[in-house]
Amino acid sequence: GTNESQQVELDLRDGIQLRVGQQTYTLAASAAQRPLVIDVGGGDDAINIIGSERAERLSLYADTEITSSIVSNSFQIHLRGFESVTFNGGGGHDRASLFDSDSADTLRSHPGSATLTGIGFQFDVTNVPRIYVHGTAGGNDTAFLHDSEGDDALAVRPQFTSLRSEDAFQLAYGFERVYAYATAGGFDTANLYDSEGDDTMTVSTGRSIITGPGFHVNASGFESTEGHAIAGGYDLARIYSDETNSRWHSTGDMTQWTGENNAVRIARGFERTQAFEHYQPIGLIPQAVASPLSPWFIDDPQERASRSADAARTVFEALGSE
């Protein structure tokens, strides 16, 4: 290529076809014994890749010093100099791995599709069942993950979030802020894990939040949420209920709320756990460790009032965020 901006189309449905303007280059896939290199040079260049029904693996890097590629069992193609890349998997067990820049980048992901954007680049993939996005190059990165119409499972660890459905897998790794949405349907579950530092988890109707050093995850619309504090630190869990027929259960290191539709909100291993019924603090008796006269948490009126006000502010501030 040259320093001019170019639009390129790479069609992999029947061999390899490369279209640049009015020119078309054709190569049988079986003839690609060595890697093919498409280097467009400078300019603001874009490529549209049409995948085949076979399995293809796509790796895209925002860092121009690292070569992007698409490979299959029959070919290996290197891509250099493209600021904009679109890929339609076309069927098969395709996998896409997208890598961010050292600035603030944004990921918007749905089952089978994702868009990663940043300063000077944009990657779009569709019809890809497995998508892995890495926000590890630097910057304050944000990811938005959306569920499928079926049952989805969200797994959250510090700067590691995955959303799995029956037919698709989405992974956001290294993002400082993640927003996960379960609004398309199904019975969706979330498992939230703590960091080595001090973390806070808040679970209420329709929203679960976990924050800690360097990460913030906001999960909306999940029917059931389970939090695990196993990595260390002095962790706090707040569980809210606004149903009249909900049930509470508490043991030495676990607190569980169960709703009318068998949805649950569970906190395991947290050093402090607070329970709220209609945003009012309630005292629960751990069944295995407490006597009938011992409160579940400190029974000082000022301390309880302070915790209640702090918890309410946290929830309502979160409800007003993205």
Side-chain angles (χ1 to χ4, degrees):
T2 67
N3 288 329
E4 301 295 327
S5 298
Q6 295 176 298
Q7 303 290 319
V8 177
E9 183 176 88
L10 178 62
D11 191 339
L12 305 174
R13 290 174 293 183
D14 184 16
I16 300 173
Q17 285 194 336
L18 179 65
R19 303 183 184 96
V20 185
Q22 301 300 315
Q23 183 67 45
T24 300
Y25 304 89
T26 301
L27 182 68
S30 60
Q33 300 301 317
R34 297 181 180 180
L36 305 177
V37 179
I38 305 173
D39 190 337
V40 288
D44 186 11
D45 303 297
I47 185 170
N48 177 38
I49 305 172
I50 304 173
S52 71
E53 296 181 352
R54 298 177 297 275
E56 285 128 2
R57 299 186 302 278
L58 177 71
S59 299
L60 299 178
Y61 295 88
D63 185 348
T64 56
E65 299 299 318
I66 305 177
T67 300
S68 299
S69 65
I70 181 168
V71 301
S72 72
N73 291 333
S74 55
F75 62 80
Q76 183 177 152
I77 301 174
H78 294 173
L79 309 173
R80 297 176 182 169
F82 290 98
E83 286 74 27
S84 176
V85 180
T86 61
F87 173 65
N88 187 325
H93 297 289
D94 298 315
R95 182 179 69 193
S97 298
L98 313 181
F99 296 83
D100 70 324
S101 72
D102 58 4
S103 300
D105 303 300
T106 301
L107 167 67
R108 300 186 184 276
S109 183
H110 294 78
S113 66
T115 298
L116 180 64
T117 58
I119 298 175
F121 80 97
Q122 178 166 322
F123 300 148
D124 292 282
V125 298
T126 59
N127 201 14
V128 178
R130 292 178 295 164
I131 299 174
Y132 305 82
V133 185
H134 302 257
T136 55
N140 190 8
D141 304 315
T142 304
F144 301 88
L145 309 181
H146 298 265
D147 69 324
S148 71
E149 295 179 353
D151 298 340
D152 299 272
L154 177 73
V156 174
R157 290 175 174 82
Q159 296 196 347
F160 180 101
T161 303
S162 67
L163 185 57
R164 184 188 300 272
S165 64
E166 182 178 358
D167 301 317
F169 179 78
Q170 309 168 60
L171 171 66
Y173 179 72
F175 286 78
E176 284 72 26
R177 299 183 70 86
V178 177
Y179 299 87
Y181 300 94
T183 57
F187 189 88
D188 304 308
T189 60
N191 276 276
L192 315 180
Y193 293 84
D194 69 325
S195 71
E196 295 179 353
D198 298 339
D199 304 289
T200 300
M201 182 183 73
T202 302
V203 185
S204 59
T205 302
R207 180 161 299 189
S208 302
I209 301 170
I210 186 167
T211 60
F215 79 103
H216 172 99
V217 178
N218 188 321
S220 300
F222 290 82
E223 281 74 20
S224 290
T225 300
E226 185 167 348
H228 308 264
I230 57 177
Y234 191 71
D235 304 312
L236 167 64
R238 300 181 177 114
I239 300 178
Y240 289 79
S241 168
D242 58 2
E243 295 186 10
T244 56
N245 295 323
S246 59
R247 304 185 303 277
W248 292 93
H249 174 74
S250 181
T251 63
D253 64 348
M254 186 273 290
T255 299
Q256 177 173 330
W257 169 91
T258 305
E260 291 182 331
N261 62 349
N262 289 324
V264 297
R265 300 166 193 167
I266 303 174
R268 298 183 185 274
F270 287 80
E271 281 72 24
R272 287 195 300 158
T273 307
Q274 298 174 346
F276 296 84
E277 194 80 56
H278 296 281
Y279 297 99
Q280 297 298 318
I282 62 174
L284 299 182
I285 307 300
Q287 296 179 354
V289 298
S291 69
L293 298 178
S294 60
W296 180 30
F297 51 82
I298 299 174
D299 201 18
D300 179 80
Q302 291 184 345
E303 174 70 9
R304 292 182 62 175
S306 174
R307 291 182 181 181
S308 177
D310 182 50
R313 280 194 300 270
T314 300
V315 170
F316 289 116
E317 287 174 2
L319 292 175
S321 65
E322 283 190 76

